[in-house]
Amino acid sequence: FDESPMFTGRIKSVGPRYCPSVEDKINRFKDKTRHQIFVEPEGWNTVEGYVNGFSTSLPEEVQFKAIRLIPGFEKAKLFRPGYAIEYDYFPPTQLKFTLETKLVENLYFAGQINGTTGYEEAGAQGLIAGINAHRKVHGDKEFILRRNDAYIGVLIDDIINKGVDEPYRMFTSRAEFRTLLRQDNADLRLTKIGYELGLAKKDRYDSLLEKERNIEKLNQILNDLIVPMKDLNEFLVENGEKELKERKKLSNLLLRPGITINKMAQAIPSLGEKIEGLDSSVIQQVEIQNKYESYIKKENEMVIKMSQMENLIIPDNFNYDKVHALNTEARIRLMEVQPKTMGQASRIRGVNPSDIQILMIYMGR
């Protein structure tokens, strides 16, 4: 440890919280007796493996001895030693939602320069910055993804409003609309946008429209198909479910955890005939929409409430010093970020709900 840059003081910055070096782990978790390591093959046609969980800034000779102490690695060879990184960044609160800098027109920032860490985070920002740079050159309207549109929207909203005091990584837990931002509906949420931007081809867009038609068709079948009560109850009992006392739609049966569309189709021939040939992704989507309908509806209501705040525009270069009732920290943060809307202002770190109420009363005047 006395030779590690992290402990000698050569590296002074805060490292990534979620992938610390092995010496940092040993220092933090002295009470642990073991540490799990994953060996990832570097490719199909190579003998190289990446030792995941052994990120380190220790000298090469120390790394070599340590690697060979791992059971099974007694004769391991080191192609390249591990290393630690330290990088500078520009506070992302200086950016617009398009990732254009506020101070220098036509200059866009994306990736580690904004204080983020991770390939996906950098790629997401590069995509948005690239789209907006292209659109600005051609005189088109700016393109912004909101928090309820995509995780990219959450990431950009977070770094612009809250800034960063350590390398930022995107987690699902950072999003308040996780029920809407699912991987199974990413195509339904974003393909149309991609097509309008010229990033998705016509055949992909047509495929999406076909999927949407089939989803609507299957939902209609589940709501309209009449099945005798006797047949339904036989099916439910066979699947360990309680019998019905009154007729229910097939879509309603999907609310029961053990019931799936495929199970119903096998037991009810008339349903099986109607859904024959439907793509499995369509069946999966309809099942999810029905099973989680009430939760999805609740989040959509939250989106509407938030969008009402987003529609309350704050004038450019608004002087927050005029609003004496504002908390001092809130005033400083608001002056720093210069939010465009009341919704954006409400998500800035250090700005409390009471500050937002004060602002709304002031704006109302």
Side-chain angles (χ1 to χ4, degrees):
F1 276 36
D2 59 357
E3 296 178 68
S4 167
M6 292 187 64
F7 291 91
T8 59
R10 279 176 63 197
I11 289 180
K12 296 183 174 67
S13 63
V14 179
R17 180 185 295 266
Y18 303 99
C19 47
S21 66
V22 72
E23 59 266 36
D24 197 19
K25 290 173 185 171
I26 292 167
N27 186 56
R28 281 197 224 171
F29 308 109
K30 298 181 179 73
D31 57 317
K32 304 295 180 190
T33 56
R34 60 193 294 274
H35 172 55
Q36 199 161 12
I37 281 170
F38 296 85
V39 187
E40 300 177 357
E42 284 285 347
W44 290 112
N45 304 308
T46 177
V47 295
E48 288 186 62
Y50 176 72
V51 191
N52 191 335
F54 203 82
S55 161
T56 180
S57 67
L58 290 165
E60 187 173 355
E61 62 274 13
V62 178
Q63 291 185 37
F64 184 66
K65 288 176 185 174
I67 283 283
R68 285 199 155 188
L69 285 172
I70 297 169
F73 280 7
E74 292 84 359
K75 295 180 181 178
K77 293 181 180 178
L78 222 61
F79 284 90
R80 285 174 298 281
Y83 57 90
I85 60 164
E86 186 174 36
Y87 61 89
D88 288 327
Y89 73 98
F90 289 119
T93 51
Q94 301 175 89
L95 300 172
K96 299 176 183 177
F97 279 100
T98 57
L99 296 184
E100 183 183 19
T101 59
K102 291 175 182 174
L103 294 175
V104 183
E105 192 178 4
N106 298 327
L107 176 63
Y108 291 77
F109 284 173
Q112 285 188 334
I113 198 169
N114 292 336
T116 62
T117 180
Y119 301 119
E120 295 85 356
E121 287 80 358
Q125 292 170 74
L127 177 68
I128 298 301
I131 288 169
N132 279 301
H134 177 274
R135 290 177 74 79
K136 187 158 189 185
V137 164
H138 290 85
D140 295 328
K141 188 182 172 188
E142 61 184 24
F143 172 68
I144 294 166
L145 284 170
R146 298 165 301 170
R147 295 182 75 89
N148 59 293
D149 290 327
Y151 279 104
I152 293 175
V154 177
L155 184 157
I156 292 172
D157 191 75
D158 273 357
I159 63 172
I160 286 173
N161 286 322
K162 298 175 183 175
V164 293
D165 51 15
E166 62 178 62
Y168 178 98
R169 177 150 278 175
M170 184 70 241
F171 291 106
T172 53
S173 58
R174 296 191 191 275
E176 58 274 58
F177 302 121
R178 292 190 293 281
T179 310
L180 301 181
L181 305 183
R182 310 186 308 274
Q183 64 187 37
D184 63 86
N185 71 356
D187 55 345
L188 299 173
R189 284 186 283 116
L190 300 169
T191 304
K192 279 183 184 174
I193 296 170
Y195 179 68
E196 286 163 7
L197 290 170
L199 296 173
K201 291 183 179 176
K202 180 78 164 56
D203 58 344
R204 190 171 159 200
Y205 180 60
D206 290 340
S207 175
L208 173 81
L209 295 180
E210 177 67 14
K211 182 177 178 179
E212 286 181 334
R213 283 192 292 270
N214 284 330
I215 287 169
E216 195 176 330
K217 177 183 165 186
L218 182 50
N219 271 317
Q220 199 72 47
I221 291 166
L222 293 174
N223 284 318
D224 294 349
L225 189 64
I226 296 170
V227 180
M229 277 271 287
K230 178 176 167 289
D231 294 348
L232 284 180
N233 281 330
E234 277 179 16
F235 162 68
L236 290 170
V237 170
E238 281 171 16
N239 284 275
E241 298 283 341
K242 287 182 181 178
E243 292 187 1
L244 295 171
K245 291 179 181 174
E246 57 184 44
R247 186 180 297 284
K248 297 273 186 187
K249 294 176 180 178
L250 293 181
S251 57
N252 193 271
L253 297 187
L254 285 173
L255 297 174
R256 302 187 182 204
I259 301 301
T260 66
I261 291 174
N262 284 330
K263 277 184 183 177
M264 289 196 296
Q266 286 169 5
I268 304 164
S270 55
L271 176 62
E273 288 167 16
K274 287 182 180 292
I275 74 164
E276 194 174 347
L278 276 184
D279 192 86
S280 59
S281 66
V282 170
I283 293 170
Q284 180 201 42
Q285 190 55 227
V286 170
E287 206 162 275
I288 289 169
Q289 286 177 3
N290 279 280
K291 282 188 180 296
Y292 299 96
E293 184 184 12
S294 58
Y295 299 98
I296 292 169
K297 185 181 175 186
K298 193 174 180 181
E299 278 203 0
N300 276 320
E301 286 169 358
M302 280 176 65
V303 169
I304 292 166
K305 282 181 185 175
M306 270 193 67
S307 66
Q308 288 167 349
M309 292 273 279
E310 297 298 338
N311 292 333
L312 295 172
I313 306 295
I314 299 173
D316 287 340
N317 301 314
F318 179 80
N319 186 0
Y320 293 94
D321 284 332
K322 288 181 185 174
V323 191
H324 303 298
L326 280 176
N327 179 311
T328 305
E329 184 187 357
R331 191 180 297 118
I332 292 166
R333 297 279 189 188
L334 289 162
M335 290 291 284
E336 183 183 84
V337 176
Q338 285 292 324
K340 280 190 169 184
T341 68
M342 205 66 79
Q344 187 189 351
S346 70
R347 295 190 295 278
I348 296 171
R349 183 170 51 187
V351 177
N352 300 318
S354 57
D355 296 313
I356 295 299
Q357 286 179 336
I358 290 163
L359 263 183
M360 285 176 81
I361 292 167
Y362 190 90
M363 295 287 179
R365 290 175 186 168

